[in-house]
Amino acid sequence: MPLLTGCSNDKDTAVSEPLFSSRTLWQLIWPLLVEQLLQITLGMADIIMVSSLGEASVSGVSLVDQLNILIVQIFAALATGGAVVCSQYIGRKSLSMAQKTAMQLLYATTAIAVFLAVTGTVFHKGILSVVFGNVEQDVMTASRRYFLITLLALPSIAIYNAAAAIFRSRGNSGISMWIAALVNVINIGGNAILIYGLHWGVEGVAVPTLVSRTVAAAVLFVCLYRDSDVCIKGIFHVHIDFHLIGRILRIGIPNGLEGSTFQIGKILVLSLIASYGTSAIAANAAANTLASFEVLPGNAIGIAMLTVVGQCMGAKEYGQAVNYTKKMMTAAYLGFLVLNVPLLLFSYRILSFYGMSEETTRLGWYMTLIHGICGIFIWPLSFSLPNALRAAGDSSFTMIVSMVSMWTVRVGLSFVLKATGIFGLVAFFGLPVSFGSVGVWISMIVDWIVRSSFFVVRFVRGKWKQKQVI
């Protein structure tokens, strides 16, 4: 990768030698794999621990978490925009501009987070009532208590996402991996102490979330402040550069709209699955847990592409951008094969540990097989490849394709298959009604096929190389 020599020297000359060796690519990717695994582990631990608080607490926390995911999408989108702009400046060896971009990203994300935290605190009752409707009173009480505390964590989450993205933009993904491990220790340990030891309610889940995110943000910020490459010294002398923020938003806004509408679509589809009964809900939840492991290689490589392709585009090495994308896509497919083949072979046995009925276990197994087998062939093209386009500044195209495909194919086809009983196949094979929920997973695969077709054509035609970010 490009040598970074300080915060002040700008060099706009193109680079002819390879920007990344196989070793530096691996050093970028493997910490991202571990970080993704840590995040999944934390989510599973939270679910297990909060389940001991009773149904009202579980329901309240799960409802608010769906809302929080939508909010965090904003910070993730801005972080992606900042990472793309930063990585392109680093590729161009314009380190002073990379430094300024990092500071503007931190200003923007922190300001938005504070605004959302204050607004959410003032209007939390109305927000929860509008979003969740007339839920039972004990569920709403738990939701409000949990929501208020997690709102306080928003500035820290924003700073964490921004700082981690800045480090990744210059090829350092190891630091965010170690911070993710620290978050896990504080969060899981805090949950155990407050829930099992002190017998707190939903506060026992919310407070460790607040503390762990605050510590993580503080550590990452200090590391970034002391960094010798993309340093942010002078950040406390606030100067807002709307031109730079505009560049970040040109990537971040489409990415945020795409992520938010995708999450809303998933929530809508989840409500459709609920209409098939408790068995379908349980099977879907169990299958989603395994699915999150199945996509680990693709997720990690997709994040790495923002750095690699971004630096290539900044250096105007378009040929290298194409070659590295192909190389990383090959790695994604190999990763899927290595991970998913043994996982699928043992998937039924893994699902049997959930203690579900035989019918529910079999339904979850079908869902897992559909996702895993099709994912090996299609998922990287659907979700890893578009990050190469985003890194080049082609985020509006990925947004339009993803949103249209999500709502017309995944959501639309799900309702069609619901109405027709998967075109009569459920009745034809004499399957239980709950097995109709497989139609949602079939619709998801068709969605992958549609969006990946557009992304492949876009990549091959090369129009994305003409985009200008910096």
Side-chain angles (χ1 to χ4, degrees):
M1 58 185 288
L3 295 176
L4 304 178
T5 56
C7 289
S8 58
N9 295 327
D10 288 350
K11 298 179 181 179
D12 292 329
T13 57
V15 183
S16 57
E17 69 273 8
L19 298 180
F20 295 84
S21 66
S22 296
R23 181 179 180 182
T24 54
L25 285 176
W26 174 242
Q27 289 174 338
L28 174 64
I29 293 170
W30 79 260
L32 292 171
L33 281 168
V34 176
E35 184 177 348
Q36 296 291 307
L37 180 60
L38 288 169
Q39 290 176 359
I40 295 172
T41 303
L42 179 58
M44 293 177 64
D46 274 346
I47 291 172
I48 292 171
M49 290 181 169
V50 77
S51 65
S52 66
L53 299 176
E55 292 185 2
S57 295
V58 172
S59 299
V61 169
S62 62
L63 288 173
V64 172
D65 277 344
Q66 294 299 320
L67 181 57
N68 283 340
I69 289 172
L70 284 173
I71 296 173
V72 172
Q73 285 284 352
I74 298 172
F75 308 136
L78 286 172
T80 298
V84 169
V85 178
C86 242
S87 62
Q88 290 209 13
Y89 276 125
I90 291 171
R92 187 176 289 188
K93 295 189 176 180
S94 183
L95 297 181
S96 65
M97 289 303 298
Q99 173 193 7
K100 291 177 182 177
T101 301
M103 289 191 284
Q104 297 305 314
L105 175 61
L106 286 165
Y107 291 149
T109 53
T110 303
I112 292 172
V114 171
F115 172 78
L116 291 175
V118 172
T119 303
T121 301
V122 174
F123 300 106
H124 71 282
K125 291 183 180 180
I127 292 172
L128 295 178
S129 296
V130 170
V131 175
F132 301 135
N134 297 319
V135 297
E136 296 179 8
Q137 186 57 46
D138 54 350
V139 174
M140 181 58 74
T141 299
S143 296
R144 289 171 179 170
R145 286 156 50 197
Y146 181 70
F147 189 43
L148 279 173
I149 297 175
T150 55
L151 281 171
L152 299 177
L154 291 184
S156 296
I157 293 172
I159 293 171
Y160 172 84
N161 275 276
I166 293 165
F167 274 112
R168 294 188 195 113
S169 70
R170 70 176 189 79
N172 185 351
S173 57
I175 189 165
S176 60
M177 176 194 70
W178 290 112
I179 299 300
L182 177 64
V183 167
N184 276 35
V185 171
I186 296 174
N187 208 322
I188 296 174
N191 287 351
I193 293 171
L194 297 182
I195 294 174
Y196 300 139
L198 301 179
H199 306 291
W200 284 21
V202 292
E203 295 86 354
V205 183
V207 170
T209 298
L210 171 60
V211 173
S212 63
R213 277 20 174 223
T214 302
V215 171
V219 173
L220 263 182
F221 184 87
V222 170
C223 290
L224 193 59
Y225 193 84
R226 295 179 176 179
D227 192 63
S228 60
D229 298 319
V230 184
C231 53
I232 58 169
K233 290 181 179 178
I235 192 171
F236 297 111
H237 301 289
V238 179
H239 172 70
I240 306 299
D241 187 329
F242 290 103
H243 182 66
L244 261 181
I245 291 178
R247 289 179 174 177
I248 295 170
L249 293 180
R250 279 198 293 272
I251 306 295
I253 289 178
N255 198 43
L257 288 173
E258 178 185 339
S260 298
T261 54
F262 185 79
Q263 184 63 29
I264 293 170
K266 286 180 66 176
I267 294 172
L268 180 59
V269 169
L270 182 61
S271 68
L272 184 62
I273 286 178
S275 69
Y276 287 100
T278 304
S279 178
I281 296 173
N284 183 73
N288 269 320
T289 301
L290 291 187
S292 63
F293 285 100
E294 290 173 349
V295 301
L296 273 173
N299 269 331
I301 288 174
I303 296 171
M305 275 194 184
L306 294 173
T307 297
V308 176
V309 177
Q311 290 196 19
C312 289
M313 295 299 292
K316 299 183 179 180
E317 291 286 346
Y318 307 125
Q320 289 198 44
V322 172
N323 291 334
Y324 282 126
T325 299
K326 292 178 179 178
K327 185 174 184 177
M328 296 177 78
M329 288 299 295
T330 301
Y333 273 104
L334 289 174
F336 261 76
L337 279 172
V338 171
L339 177 62
N340 285 315
V341 170
L343 185 61
L344 290 173
L345 288 175
F346 293 100
S347 59
Y348 191 91
R349 182 173 296 180
I350 295 171
L351 289 169
S352 66
F353 291 132
Y354 281 78
M356 302 180 293
S357 68
E358 183 178 347
E359 174 189 318
T360 304
T361 300
R362 186 157 61 101
L363 176 56
W365 185 51
Y366 288 164
M367 293 173 173
T368 302
L369 290 179
I370 290 171
H371 185 278
I373 294 173
C374 295
I376 290 174
F377 298 100
I378 312 170
W379 199 96
L381 291 175
S382 304
F383 296 98
S384 300
L385 180 61
N387 266 7
L389 304 179
R390 294 185 186 102
D394 204 9
S395 56
S396 294
F397 177 82
T398 61
M399 175 195 70
I400 293 170
V401 170
S402 299
M403 289 174 63
V404 172
S405 181
M406 176 71 182
W407 287 98
T408 60
V409 179
R410 185 179 298 200
V411 176
L413 185 58
S414 292
F415 279 93
V416 170
L417 296 182
K418 161 73 174 177
T420 61
I422 314 183
F423 300 121
L425 292 177
V426 174
F428 179 79
F429 288 105
L431 296 170
V433 175
S434 61
F435 279 62
S437 60
V438 170
V440 170
W441 291 71
I442 294 173
S443 301
M444 175 179 64
I445 302 305
V446 179
D447 170 38
W448 293 358
I449 294 171
V450 171
R451 67 173 66 206
S452 64
S453 300
F454 280 94
F455 294 147
V456 169
V457 170
R458 185 74 163 188
F459 181 77
V460 171
R461 288 183 175 177
K463 190 174 181 179
W464 54 277
K465 300 175 193 175
Q466 302 169 13
K467 298 294 179 179
Q468 294 292 324
V469 175
I470 60 175

